[in-house]
Each structure stands twice: as structure tokens, then as C-alpha cells.
Amino acid sequence: MEELIAKRYIKALKDGSDVASMQNVTSIFTTLAESFKDDKFVSIVANPSINVQAKSEMLLEAVKPAKSDKLNNLIKLLVENKRIEIIPALAEELQKDLANSTKTYEGVIYSDSDIDKKVIKELSSGLSKKFDSTISLTFSKTDFNGIKVEVEGLGIEINFSKDRIDSQIIQHIIKAI
């Protein structure tokens, strides 16, 4: 639900904005979203006994370096409509939207065995060419028996499971007999 509300705010925010200003707004909202991981910050923002004006001033002070009336008005609107808690969803949706605008995506390679940095770079460059985008991949060691590549922004998931390949080889041999 928060994502749908966030998308509406982003649509209004994007109207008439260029990519550079949207990158700036995205970084500001990402920083604000990090604040929501702090229990003290959340207790202040969610506290009904703290008036709307104080909450608004606190958040406006946080976005002051942007020097953007549009951003200030968005913060005031969020506070006024009691939607401060959607700031993390706004940050996430802004990151997705910016990735789609710039065609720059991040992905993760999961495997139970270590993968050389050169291989990661080659996978990244191959996927970038295939999808006409800039894709950067990072490695995460897990218990997945094979290799799995996920690029969430593009909706890509490629996996090669050792168990599945073994079972397919066995089935192929049985069919051949």
C-alpha cells in the first residue's frame, strides 16, 4: 500500500525535474530512510504528543541542504497528511525509478563456492550488453548449491543448480537406454 502512495508522490515530484535533481532527491530520501532504523527517531516521529510543526521543522532541517522548494513542500505535505512513515518506501521507489531512468542496476550473485572477481566482472558486462543497461554485480556467499544471479530492478533471475543439472543428466541417460 505504501508503495502505491509513494509512486503518486514520486510522479508529482518528477514532473518537470531532470535526472540530476532526481538523483539529489533520491540521495536525500535514502538518508532520511536510514534515520527510520533509529528507534529514537521513530519514537519522535510517531509520537502523537509532539505537534505537527515540530515534526515538520525537524524534517525540513534534514532536507535543507537540497535548497528545493519542491522537496520542502513534499515534506510539509507528508507531515500534514500524517504520512511520514512512508519515507522509507518513497526512498526505495525513488531508487527504482532512478535506476529505470538511468538504466543502471545492481544485482547479486549467490553461490556456495567463491567466484573470482574477473568472472563477476565478465558476468556483469555480459548482462549489461544483453539488457542494454549498466549492471553491477556483487557476490554473496550462501548455501545455494550452484550459481544464482539476481537483478531485482530488471526482474532477472538466472540460476544453475548442481542438483538440477545432475538430475537432468541422469534422466537423459535413462531415456537414452
Side-chain angles (χ1 to χ4, degrees):
M1 183 68 171
E2 287 182 346
E3 291 83 22
L4 296 173
I5 296 167
K7 285 180 182 180
R8 287 185 177 170
Y9 283 113
I10 291 169
K11 185 178 179 183
L13 193 60
K14 275 180 57 176
D15 190 35
S17 297
D18 61 344
V19 175
S21 65
M22 288 309 293
Q23 285 175 331
N24 188 27
V25 168
T26 301
S27 66
I28 289 169
F29 270 99
T30 302
T31 305
L32 272 178
E34 289 294 319
S35 301
F36 279 83
K37 293 179 181 175
D38 182 14
D39 292 335
K40 290 179 183 179
F41 179 80
V42 172
S43 66
I44 291 170
V45 169
N47 192 338
S49 63
I50 297 176
N51 67 13
V52 174
Q53 185 66 26
K55 292 177 187 179
S56 181
E57 287 174 8
M58 180 180 68
L59 290 171
L60 286 172
E61 190 64 35
V63 299
K64 190 176 184 178
K67 298 177 184 173
S68 169
D69 290 335
K70 214 177 207 184
L71 191 56
N72 291 344
N73 290 337
L74 176 62
I75 294 295
K76 289 176 187 175
L77 190 64
L78 289 172
V79 172
E80 188 177 300
N81 291 332
K82 296 180 177 140
R83 290 191 169 158
I84 297 172
E85 71 279 352
I86 72 162
I87 288 177
L90 261 170
E92 187 177 327
E93 291 299 320
L94 276 166
Q95 289 171 344
K96 288 178 185 176
D97 188 70
L98 185 63
N100 287 333
S101 298
T102 60
K103 289 188 167 189
T104 304
Y105 303 95
E106 293 182 6
V108 182
I109 300 173
Y110 301 102
S111 181
D112 60 348
S113 56
D114 291 329
I115 297 177
D116 189 33
K117 289 183 180 183
K118 183 180 176 185
V119 173
I120 293 172
K121 193 172 184 178
E122 288 173 4
L123 276 170
S124 177
S125 114
L127 285 174
S128 294
K129 287 177 187 173
K130 173 92 173 146
F131 292 100
D132 191 29
S133 302
T134 304
I135 299 173
S136 61
L137 297 172
T138 56
F139 176 71
S140 177
K141 190 163 185 159
T142 61
D143 59 353
F144 184 73
N145 192 16
I147 296 174
K148 181 163 131 181
V149 180
E150 282 185 354
V151 182
E152 192 174 317
L154 282 173
I156 299 170
E157 182 180 316
I158 304 167
N159 69 47
F160 301 99
S161 170
K162 292 176 187 174
D163 296 333
R164 193 178 90 213
I165 291 172
D166 289 345
S167 71
Q168 286 177 344
I169 289 173
I170 291 169
Q171 287 177 358
H172 185 68
I173 291 171
I174 291 172
K175 285 181 184 177
I177 297 176

